[in-house]
Structure formats: structure tokens, C-alpha cells
Amino acid sequence: MAQWTSAVGAAQLARLLNSQQERPAGPGTRRPPAYRALADGIRLLVLEGRVPVAARLPAERELALSLSVSRTTVAAAYEALRAEGFLESRRGAGSWTAVPAGNPLPARGLEPLPPEALGSVIDLGTAALPAPEPWLTRAVQGALEELPPYAHTHGDYPAGLPVLRAMIAERYTARGIPTMPEQIMVTTGAMGAIDAICHLFGGRGERIAVESPSYANILQLMREAGARLVPVAMAEGLSGWDVDRWRQVLREAAPRIAYVVADFHNPTGALADEDQRRRLVDAARSAGTVLVADETMSELWLDADVEMPRPVCGFDPAGSTVITVGSASKAFWAGMRIGWVRAAPDVIRSLVAARAYADLGTPVLEQLAVNWLFSTGGWEQAVDLRRAQARENREALVTAVRRELPEWEFEVPQGGLTLWVRTGGLSGSRLAEAGERVGVRVPSGPRFGVDGAFEGYVRLPFTVGGAVADEAAVRLAAAARSVEAGASGGSESPRTFVA
């Protein structure tokens, strides 16, 4: 019986391999043999999770034609991968990807590093900060005081607790967006909200337009829902959205959904201005596309002179085009898995009805904790603390990276939690792999793109500061030197760092 569970076509694999750009070799630099370079490229795709484990690879002849190399080269690469444990084969069943015994399965998204590894590895993989105490503890204590009446009920609230729905609606109204509780559904984080929207509007095989780059975990969620992603390139730097390009894509591809992060975009940090927001909504309305606006970063402005534009839904007074997603996870704490959807009442009713076949509802205690924060002013004080922490971390990380890696290029965003960094021609995938060896975990650019885009980038979050940021930059520089030296160079051992 075949051991593979999916297949990768020759053309698709060739596109992914060709995206792995490398810096041109300097004088006297020895390049690895062609078969070795091919084997390394496939191994990196498996380690990155961009080619799944147990995926059947194309036949040697097919891949050779797609790559314009000899079949001997492909055969030697496959043999090398088998010897290293990254490929298994059986006569009549073909060859499929694997991972060597003892290696963890590669992540398709951006999972947090296990806590037990934090002593030896600096985790720049997840854009999340520790809880802003004492506000987490106070919120949970306040929630426990409010819990007894709810404990006498069945505890299932598919649309969310009425008191929290009313509070979230009131907060939108205070921002100049009149909102009723019937327009709010509380979800299990923003991911739960996007998942529900994709299943209601997307469906398997439906097109979804996404920014390119975009948030890696959302892209993977959409892929696994069976969506056909239509990337729309972001402009260079922090200028953000090319609305003319968006209008063209929405008109020609006619996607059912478009997903945007207009507030301190993840990963670039760009902030859409009011004109861009207005024109995006107009383009989506004209194309009959549902525009999903993710505003999970909207409260994380870090510079005092930032003037926040109106929410995207403020340019859709009829409520027929924009669905807004919010969350407590970025602005407050990733462990507080409370998100919400703001949409027209009929959309909310449909989402709630569909939820009966998903997770039924969101934990009551956590909803009460968020409601306590909103109703007491604790939220504003906690978010102020979060901004101050992110601002200090941003300064430390920017200074350290500019010192240790002056050839890397980036623009400093005015908010959010991430730097989008061009790595001076180095492969982001190879940097990520080398980083694991020297004790720093960093996500490569292709995680944030479609079909291997952004190989020359990495994302660096503002999650460490002070001496830890300095050490992270030192380890990134060591990883960069390792990549520059080539795959045959010796690896460096991780160093233990105690904050």
C-alpha cells in the first residue's frame, strides 16, 4: 500500500525550488554539485512545511523536464534524500517525503516554541508578548466574581455572552461606527472568526484574494479550507496597498472573499490611510466581493504622532460589503483566546447557525474576563503597558539588527509587532534553518507568501528587548555567515542565554 497522502506536481515543485534565490557566488566560491543543490532545496521545502510530509514527489523524468536538468541529477538528489531520511520509496508506489527519526514534524504555520526550549533558543517565530500583568490576574479575578449566575445555566452561548456582545458593540459605536449587539459574534480568537467566515462564504475551490505578503497562519487556514488563494502584491516599504491593482484583481478574478490587514499589516507593518480604505471598500463592493478586515493590530500604535484612520467598516455604512474581525490576543495576550466578528445581522445569524457544527461557543470565563477589562478601564491601561513594552523592544531590535547586519534592509513601522526585513540577497529559508542551529528561531519570508514568494525576506517581531535583542541579532548574524559559507560549511552549536 502506498505511504503517501498527497502529491506535488513537477511544475509546482519546480516553482517552489526556483523561488529559493541565493546570493551570487563570489570569486573562488565553490558551488555544490547540481544534485546536492536540488536535494538541499527539497529538504528545505520539507523542513519549512511548504511541501508536506508524506507527499508523493514527481517521477524523476517529469521533474528533470520541469527543471531543465538531467534525469541523472534528479536521481542522485532523490538518492541523497533517501540516505538522509527525507525521502522514502517503494517500487510501484513512487517516492514520498519524510522526516528522519527523532526530528519534529515541520510546522505549516507559526507555532510558538515549547516553553522548555526557551532557555537555549531565542524565539522570534511568534509575534506575541507575555501577559500585561497585573491586568490578566485582575481580569480573571473579576470574571470569577461574575461567574456564579452563568454557572446555573447550560453555558452554551453560540453568539457569545450578551453582556460582552453589547460591550463590543458599544465600543464600535464610540469609535463612530454605530453598532448593535446583533451585529456581533464572539469567537475563539481571530483565527476562529476567520475560519467561520471562510466556511460560510468561501467553500472548497472558491477564490480568496489576499495581500502578498500576508499573515502566515491565516494563509494556511485558507489553504486547508480548500480555498484558491489569489495574491495581490503589496507596494514596497510601508506604502501598503496598490488599490488600482486590487481593483483589477477583484474585477478579473471575482473572488468571493478578500482578506486585508489594514491596521499595522502583518508582516510589513503598513497602515492603510483613509483614501486607501475607501477605495478598497468601493472596489470590493463593485466586484461583489466580501471584504474581511482584520483589525487585531488596530490598537497597537507605537508612535505618539500616529493618527489612526477610521475603521474599514466605517466606509461601508450599509454593512453589505465589510466584515470586521477583532481580537484580544494581540493587543492584550495571546493566551486570551477571545475574538469577535462585526457584520450585518443576517451574516451574524448565519455564522451562529453554522457554529453548531463547529465549536458550539467560546469559553464563558474568558469572555467575562475580557468584559471586565472593557467595563473597568483595565483594557486601556493594559494596552498602554503593551504599547510601551513593544516600543522598547522595537527600538532595541532595530538598533541591534542595524549594528550586526547592516546590509539587511527594512522600514520601521509606526505600530504593530513586526519588522519585514530584506536579507541582502540571502535565502530566508536557509537563514531559518541555520538559525535553528545557532539558537534563534525566525520565520522565513515564503511562509507569508503564495507559491514560494519572498524567499529573500524574514519577519522579526518585537517580542524581545534589551540584552536578548542584542543576542538575537548576534545569532542571526552567525546564521547569515553560515548561509554565506554554503551548505557544506560547519554548523555552529546553540549558546545558552540567561536573561
Side-chain angles (χ1 to χ4, degrees):
M1 185 177 70
Q3 301 297 306
W4 50 273
T5 57
S6 62
V8 180
Q12 179 188 8
L13 184 56
R15 284 197 306 273
L16 292 171
L17 289 165
N18 288 333
S19 73
Q20 295 177 329
Q21 66 184 55
E22 295 186 73
R23 177 176 289 176
T29 303
R30 295 179 59 188
R31 284 199 177 279
Y35 85 88
R36 183 70 260 172
L38 176 55
D40 287 345
I42 295 174
R43 176 174 53 83
L44 277 171
L45 291 173
V46 173
L47 290 173
E48 280 273 295
R50 289 189 283 147
V51 169
V53 175
R56 186 180 187 275
L57 295 186
E60 295 169 2
R61 188 185 304 277
E62 294 175 2
L63 185 57
L65 287 171
S66 290
L67 292 173
S68 298
V69 300
S70 72
R71 182 177 176 181
T72 302
T73 296
V74 177
Y78 279 13
E79 182 57 39
L81 290 168
R82 277 189 287 269
E84 296 164 4
F86 285 93
L87 197 68
E88 296 180 8
S89 304
R90 180 175 298 171
R91 186 178 298 277
S95 300
W96 55 92
T97 55
V99 291
N103 279 38
L105 288 175
R108 300 299 298 278
L110 301 178
E111 288 76 14
L113 192 70
E116 61 269 19
L118 293 177
S120 59
V121 179
I122 298 174
D123 185 11
L124 298 180
T126 305
L129 292 162
E133 288 287 29
W135 298 106
L136 174 62
T137 298
R138 292 181 182 177
V140 172
Q141 291 171 341
L144 287 171
E145 294 176 1
E146 299 294 331
L147 183 61
Y150 295 94
H152 294 293
T153 73
H154 48 62
D156 287 336
Y157 295 87
L161 295 183
V163 64
L164 181 56
R165 295 176 71 195
M167 180 60 68
I168 294 171
E170 182 179 316
R171 290 174 64 83
Y172 275 106
T173 300
R175 294 168 66 189
I177 314 297
T179 304
M180 303 179 295
E182 293 80 7
Q183 291 177 262
I184 302 296
M185 181 177 84
V186 181
T187 62
T188 307
M191 292 288 287
I194 300 293
D195 184 59
I197 293 166
C198 286
H199 281 89
L200 180 63
F201 289 98
R204 187 162 295 276
E206 288 279 4
R207 294 184 180 92
I208 299 180
V210 295
E211 297 145 330
S212 183
S214 187
Y215 179 39
N217 286 340
I218 292 294
L219 294 180
Q220 190 57 34
L221 181 154
M222 291 173 174
R223 290 187 190 102
E224 293 182 358
R228 298 164 59 190
L229 300 183
V230 181
V232 186
M234 296 282 284
E236 284 294 318
L238 297 177
S239 54
W241 293 260
D242 183 338
V243 182
D244 290 337
R245 184 177 296 169
W246 269 95
R247 187 177 298 277
Q248 179 182 359
V249 169
L250 295 181
R251 182 177 63 248
E252 295 177 356
R256 187 72 182 91
I257 301 173
Y259 170 77
V260 297
V261 186
D263 300 291
F264 307 118
H265 174 259
N266 188 353
T268 69
L271 175 66
D273 60 32
E274 292 215 352
D275 183 62
Q276 288 172 322
R277 294 170 189 239
R278 180 184 297 105
R279 294 173 63 204
L280 276 171
V281 173
D282 288 345
R285 184 184 297 114
S286 298
T289 297
V290 175
L291 183 62
V292 179
D294 182 336
E295 58 174 28
T296 54
M297 296 280 192
S298 64
E299 296 192 62
L300 290 177
W301 64 87
L302 304 183
D303 294 340
D305 60 348
V306 176
E307 292 187 14
M308 291 300 295
R310 280 184 292 167
V312 175
C313 59
F315 300 94
D316 180 36
S320 58
T321 299
V322 177
I323 296 178
T324 303
V325 171
S327 172
S329 299
K330 291 297 185 185
F332 185 75
W333 183 48
M336 187 68 76
R337 304 305 305 159
I338 299 294
W340 52 86
V341 178
R342 181 197 181 276
D346 61 317
V347 172
I348 295 297
R349 286 192 294 270
S350 296
L351 289 169
V352 171
R355 195 173 194 180
Y357 308 101
D359 64 356
L360 294 178
T362 303
V364 169
L365 188 63
E366 292 186 24
Q367 292 187 73
L368 289 173
V370 171
N371 189 66
W372 183 92
L373 288 165
F374 284 159
S375 61
T376 62
W379 176 268
E380 284 71 23
Q381 295 183 67
V383 173
D384 280 345
L385 183 63
R386 169 68 76 239
R387 292 192 196 106
Q389 186 178 12
R391 189 181 302 116
E392 292 175 5
N393 288 354
R394 180 187 62 175
E395 181 178 353
L397 186 65
V398 166
T399 300
V401 172
R402 283 178 171 163
R403 180 182 64 246
E404 300 293 336
L405 293 150
E407 68 277 14
W408 287 16
E409 301 173 19
F410 55 85
E411 292 189 39
V412 181
Q414 293 183 295
L417 291 172
T418 57
L419 283 180
W420 184 236
V421 181
R422 192 193 302 268
T423 56
L426 296 180
S427 161
S429 297
R430 287 176 168 80
L431 279 167
E433 183 191 27
E436 294 282 354
R437 295 197 300 268
V438 299
V440 60
R441 184 170 181 260
V442 58
S444 67
R447 289 186 178 273
F448 304 87
V450 177
D451 280 342
F454 307 110
E455 186 62 59
Y457 290 81
V458 293
R459 189 195 73 172
L460 304 180
F462 313 142
T463 53
V464 296
V468 183
D470 290 338
E471 179 67 12
V474 167
R475 296 187 188 188
L476 285 171
R481 289 193 297 271
S482 176
V483 173
E484 288 176 327
S488 60
S491 63
E492 301 180 55
S493 299
R495 290 175 285 166
T496 300
F497 180 82
V498 179

